Amino acid sequence: MTTVNAYAVFEQGGALKPFQYELGALGDDQVDIKVTSCGICHSDLSMLDNDWGMTNYPLVPGHEVVGTVSAVGAAVKHLKVGQTVGLGWFSGSCMHCGTCMSGYHNMCNEAEATIIGRHGGFADVVRCKEEWAVPLPDGVDVAAAGPLFCGGITVFNPLVECDVKPTDRVAVIGIGGLGHLAVQFLNKWGCEVTAFSSSSSKEQQLKELGAHHVVNSRDPEALAPLAGKFDFILNTTNVNLDWGAYLDTLAANGRFHTVGAVPDPIPAPAFSLIMRQRSVSGSPLGSPATLQKMLEFCARHDIKAMVERFPMAQANEAMEHLKAGKARYRVVLDA
Amino acid sequence: MTTVNAYAVFEQGGALKPFQYELGALGDDQVDIKVTSCGICHSDLSMLDNDWGMTNYPLVPGHEVVGTVSAVGAAVKHLKVGQTVGLGWFSGSCMHCGTCMSGYHNMCNEAEATIIGRHGGFADVVRCKEEWAVPLPDGVDVAAAGPLFCGGITVFNPLVECDVKPTDRVAVIGIGGLGHLAVQFLNKWGCEVTAFSSSSSKEQQLKELGAHHVVNSRDPEALAPLAGKFDFILNTTNVNLDWGAYLDTLAANGRFHTVGAVPDPIPAPAFSLIMRQRSVSGSPLGSPATLQKMLEFCARHDIKAMVERFPMAQANEAMEHLKAGKARYRVVLDA
C-alpha cells in the first residue's frame, strides 16, 4: 500500500486542502510516478467547479505531470524506476480495441482520464497505466515540460493529424497556455505564422515566440484584408467567434480547426465549404506515439512552455492567478 | 463566324425556345464541340429560374456535354478535330494563377462557367477553352457520359480530395443523379457502402449499383444504431438534415462532406468535432486532371450513369420530368 499526500477539493467551489489516500496494489501494467511538478490547465478549473457534471469529490486535480517512475508493475518492460516521464489528460487505454490498435489510444472508448473518477497530479505520487507514462527524451527542459502533456499535445496533435505542411500559411487564434506553444510549434514546422491575439501587449513576445504577423483579434476590420489567406487556422479559444469572417480568411483547401470547446455549434455555410473546398474540424489530445514525437520535436527545436512557478502548497494562490487571467503563459506547481 | 442553333430561355420561368447566336472568331486556346448529347443538371433549373441571381437572359443551359471536336484554335496541340470530348460546369480557367498551377483549375478565381455569362450545351455547338474539353478514353459509354461531367465529377472529386480509403466505411445521403453515381464509385473504390434514401422503392436497384446496405433516411430511428460507424459521409442533398444525428454516425477521424448546397449553415458542435476528431467539409467539381482520372476509373469498372433520353427538341418536356422528381437517375438530351 502507498499513502499519497495530495491536495483535493471537497465540494464544488471549495478550496484545495491537504488530502491523503491509499493506492491499492500496483497492477501488472501500471506504474507509479513520483511527482516533480504539475502544470495547471483550464480543465482543472472546470473539473473543480463541476462545469461538465462529471466531478466526484474529493477531487485531486492535475494532469500535466512530470516526475520519476517510482514503481513499475510486473509486466512493464519499457520503463524503469528512476526514469523521467510525463503524464497528461489520459492515464489508461484498453490497448486492444481497433482504435487503440490503430494508434489512437487517445480516442479509445474506454480511455481513463487522470482526474475523472480517480486522483491526479496535485500530489506526491500519481499512478497510471504504462502506455501513458511517456519518457522525456534528452534535451527537453524537465522543469517546464508538464504543460506539454496537455496544453502542448492539444495543439501539436492537429499538426500531425491534419497534415499541416511546412509551406502552409497558418493562423493561431488565442494566445494563452495553448496558443503560445502552437506559435512555437508552427514556426519550427516551417509555416508562415499569424497570431490572433486580443492583447496588443503580447505582440513583441509573440514575434519572439515565432509569429511572423500579429493581428488584433478585437479589431473588426482586421479580418477582411486576410480573405483567402490561410491554409490552416487553429482555434485555441473557447468563445464564439465571428465564424463567417474567419472562414472567409481560409484559402482554397483551407481548414478551420478548433481545439477550444466553443459553447455553440460552429455554423458552417455549405456554399463557403463547397466553393473553396474548406473544412471545419476538431481534435482531442494526441496519442502516446504523438506525445513522443512532440517531445522529440521540442528537444530538437528548444521549444518550451513559458511558465510561472508556485510551490504545490500554494496551489490555491496559483489557481487564483490562473482564474484571474494573469498566467503568462502556464502555471506550474513544484511538488 | 459560326451560327449556333440552340435552345434558350428568354425570361425567368419561361420555356425553352429555339435560339440562334453567332460565335466570334475562335481563340487560339479555344475549341468548338459539335454536341452529341447533353445531360440536364439541377443547376440548369436553378439558372433558368435565376435562383442564384446570376442569370443573363437569353440563357442557353447545358453543362454536361458530350460531343466531337469540330474546330481547334491555333495553339491547341492536345486535341484534334473529330475527337470525342466532354465539357462540364467550367469552360475556362486562367491557367496561370497559383491555384491553376497547383492543379486546381476548378477553384481558379477567374474560372469561367459554361452557362454563366455565355451559352451552354443545349445547342448544336458549344465553345470552351481547351483545358476543359476532356477526351473520353476508350471504354467509356459515350451516350451516357454527359452526366459524368457535372454530376459524376461532383461526387468523384471528394474521393480523391478527401483521401477516401478502400478500407473505409462510407455512406451516401440522397440517391439521385449524383448519389447513384457516388454509390457506384465508392463500391469500386473498395469501400463498404451504405446508401441513405428516402425512397424504399430504390432499395433493390441501389444494391445492384453497389450499396451493401440501404437505410431509409425518413426513419427517425434508423440513425441511432449506426453511431460511430462511418469514416466518410457524402451528402448529395440540398436540404437541411438532422445534423447532430448524422455527425454521431461518424467514427473517430470521420468526415461529413457535403456537395449539396444545403440552405442553412451546418451547425458543427465543437465537442463532437474535438472528442472524435471529426470534420465537416465541402468541395466543388473537380479539376480537368481529376475528370480524366474519373473517366479512366469509369472505363475500367464499367461505371455509367443510368439515363433517360429525350430529343433536344423536347427539352421542355425533359425539364418538366426532372422538375417533377421523376428522373431515374439522369436525363440526357440527344442533339
Side-chain angles (χ1 to χ4, degrees):
Chain A
M1 297 284 278
T2 300
T3 302
V4 180
N5 296 292
Y7 290 87
V9 169
F10 292 79
E11 60 186 352
Q12 192 170 351
L16 288 157
K17 295 175 188 168
F19 169 62
Q20 285 194 335
Y21 72 96
E22 300 293 330
L23 284 170
L26 188 67
D28 284 355
D29 58 356
Q30 292 183 317
V31 301
D32 284 343
I33 302 169
K34 180 170 163 33
V35 178
T36 311
S37 65
C38 185
I40 311 180
C41 173
H42 270 277
S43 48
D44 288 314
L45 288 177
S46 300
M47 284 294 292
L48 283 181
D49 293 341
N50 198 19
D51 286 347
W52 301 329
M54 52 175 71
T55 303
N56 295 316
Y57 297 97
L59 167 75
V60 177
H63 58 274
E64 292 189 340
V65 173
V66 170
T68 52
V69 175
S70 56
V72 298
V76 177
K77 305 295 179 201
H78 78 292
L79 294 171
K80 289 193 171 62
V81 169
Q83 192 169 7
T84 304
V85 297
L87 173 68
W89 179 257
F90 293 114
S91 50
S93 300
C94 85
M95 295 292 281
H96 297 289
C97 67
T99 308
C100 280
M101 293 296 282
S102 301
Y104 289 102
H105 305 79
N106 52 323
M107 290 193 282
C108 170
N109 281 327
E110 296 177 27
E112 172 188 83
T114 303
I115 62 168
I116 298 179
R118 40 158 287 150
H119 295 313
F122 285 18
D124 57 353
V125 175
V126 65
R127 179 170 288 179
C128 67
K129 280 184 69 190
E130 58 174 328
E131 66 272 13
W132 282 102
V134 180
L136 267 60
D138 289 344
V140 167
D141 182 340
V142 175
L148 295 173
F149 282 82
C150 181
I153 190 63
T154 297
V155 295
F156 185 86
N157 190 46
L159 313 195
V160 175
E161 292 297 317
C162 301
D163 195 21
V164 173
K165 294 187 169 56
T167 50
D168 284 350
R169 291 174 175 170
V170 303
V172 178
I173 305 174
I175 307 298
L178 275 62
H180 91 290
L181 285 165
V183 166
Q184 295 181 69
F185 287 140
L186 285 162
N187 177 284
K188 297 302 184 186
W189 205 261
C191 301
E192 182 186 311
V193 184
T194 297
F196 285 96
S197 174
S198 59
S199 167
S200 58
S201 68
K202 294 179 183 170
E203 178 163 352
Q204 183 55 36
Q205 196 164 62
L206 286 172
K207 292 203 164 170
E208 287 166 14
L209 287 171
H212 301 99
H213 313 286
V214 178
V215 176
N216 182 351
S217 59
R218 292 201 169 144
D219 176 3
E221 310 293 313
L223 289 175
L226 302 174
K229 179 179 173 78
F230 300 116
D231 301 298
F232 183 74
I233 300 176
L234 181 62
N235 176 44
T236 72
T237 70
N238 54 8
V239 296
N240 293 323
L241 298 170
D242 182 351
W243 302 113
Y246 276 107
L247 291 180
D248 283 345
T249 68
L250 288 174
N253 291 319
R255 180 197 282 250
F256 184 98
H257 189 83
T258 190
V259 295
V262 176
D264 296 330
I266 300 172
F271 192 77
S272 174
L273 299 181
I274 290 171
M275 296 305 286
R276 304 269 85 195
Q277 199 163 304
R278 291 163 171 156
S279 57
V280 175
S281 56
S283 61
L285 303 97
S287 68
T290 305
L291 271 164
Q292 195 70 52
K293 286 180 193 169
M294 174 191 69
L295 294 168
E296 291 167 10
F297 195 77
C298 288
R300 187 155 70 251
H301 295 293
D302 196 24
I303 292 169
K304 61 180 82 172
M306 297 180 68
V307 300
E308 298 175 303
R309 315 196 75 89
F310 289 73
M312 198 171 282
Q314 292 178 21
N316 287 306
E317 289 81 350
M319 283 292 197
E320 288 305 319
H321 185 71
L322 176 62
K323 265 192 206 175
K326 293 181 182 166
R328 290 293 179 278
Y329 285 94
R330 204 70 165 177
V331 177
V332 170
L333 302 178
D334 290 305
Chain B
M1 297 285 277
T2 301
T3 301
V4 180
N5 297 291
Y7 291 88
V9 169
F10 292 79
E11 58 186 354
Q12 191 170 351
L16 288 156
K17 295 176 188 166
F19 169 63
Q20 286 194 333
Y21 72 97
E22 301 292 332
L23 283 170
L26 188 67
D28 285 355
D29 58 356
Q30 291 182 316
V31 301
D32 283 343
I33 302 169
K34 181 170 162 33
V35 178
T36 311
S37 65
C38 185
I40 313 180
C41 174
H42 270 276
S43 49
D44 289 313
L45 288 177
S46 300
M47 284 295 293
L48 284 180
D49 293 340
N50 197 20
D51 286 345
W52 302 327
M54 52 173 72
T55 303
N56 296 316
Y57 298 95
L59 167 76
V60 178
H63 59 274
E64 292 190 339
V65 174
V66 170
T68 53
V69 175
S70 55
V72 299
V76 176
K77 304 295 180 203
H78 78 293
L79 294 172
K80 288 192 171 61
V81 169
Q83 191 169 7
T84 304
V85 297
L87 173 68
W89 178 257
F90 292 113
S91 51
S93 300
C94 85
M95 296 292 281
H96 296 289
C97 67
T99 308
C100 282
M101 294 294 283
S102 302
Y104 289 102
H105 305 80
N106 52 323
M107 290 194 281
C108 171
N109 280 327
E110 296 176 26
E112 173 187 83
T114 303
I115 63 170
I116 297 179
R118 42 158 286 150
H119 294 314
F122 286 18
D124 57 353
V125 175
V126 66
R127 179 169 288 179
C128 67
K129 282 184 68 190
E130 58 174 329
E131 67 273 12
W132 282 101
V134 179
L136 266 59
D138 289 346
V140 168
D141 182 341
V142 175
L148 295 173
F149 283 82
C150 182
I153 189 62
T154 297
V155 294
F156 185 85
N157 191 45
L159 313 196
V160 175
E161 292 297 318
C162 302
D163 194 22
V164 173
K165 295 186 168 59
T167 49
D168 282 351
R169 291 174 174 171
V170 303
V172 178
I173 305 174
I175 307 298
L178 276 62
H180 91 289
L181 285 166
V183 166
Q184 295 182 69
F185 288 141
L186 284 163
N187 177 285
K188 297 301 183 187
W189 206 261
C191 302
E192 181 186 312
V193 183
T194 296
F196 285 96
S197 174
S198 59
S199 167
S200 58
S201 68
K202 294 180 183 170
E203 178 163 352
Q204 183 54 37
Q205 197 164 60
L206 286 172
K207 292 201 165 170
E208 287 166 18
L209 288 171
H212 301 99
H213 313 285
V214 177
V215 176
N216 182 351
S217 59
R218 292 199 169 146
D219 176 2
E221 309 293 312
L223 289 175
L226 303 173
K229 180 179 172 75
F230 300 115
D231 301 298
F232 184 73
I233 300 176
L234 182 61
N235 175 44
T236 72
T237 72
N238 54 8
V239 296
N240 294 324
L241 298 171
D242 182 351
W243 302 114
Y246 277 107
L247 291 181
D248 284 346
T249 68
L250 289 174
N253 289 320
R255 181 198 281 250
F256 184 98
H257 189 84
T258 189
V259 295
V262 177
D264 297 329
I266 300 172
F271 192 77
S272 174
L273 299 181
I274 291 171
M275 295 306 286
R276 304 269 86 196
Q277 199 164 305
R278 291 163 170 156
S279 56
V280 175
S281 56
S283 61
L285 303 96
S287 68
T290 306
L291 271 162
Q292 196 68 53
K293 286 181 194 170
M294 175 192 68
L295 294 168
E296 291 166 10
F297 196 77
C298 288
R300 188 156 70 249
H301 295 292
D302 196 24
I303 292 168
K304 61 181 81 170
M306 298 182 69
V307 300
E308 297 175 304
R309 315 197 73 90
F310 289 74
M312 198 172 283
Q314 291 177 21
N316 287 308
E317 289 82 349
M319 282 293 197
E320 289 304 320
H321 186 71
L322 176 62
K323 266 191 204 175
K326 293 181 182 166
R328 291 292 179 279
Y329 285 93
R330 204 69 163 177
V331 177
V332 170
L333 302 178
D334 289 308

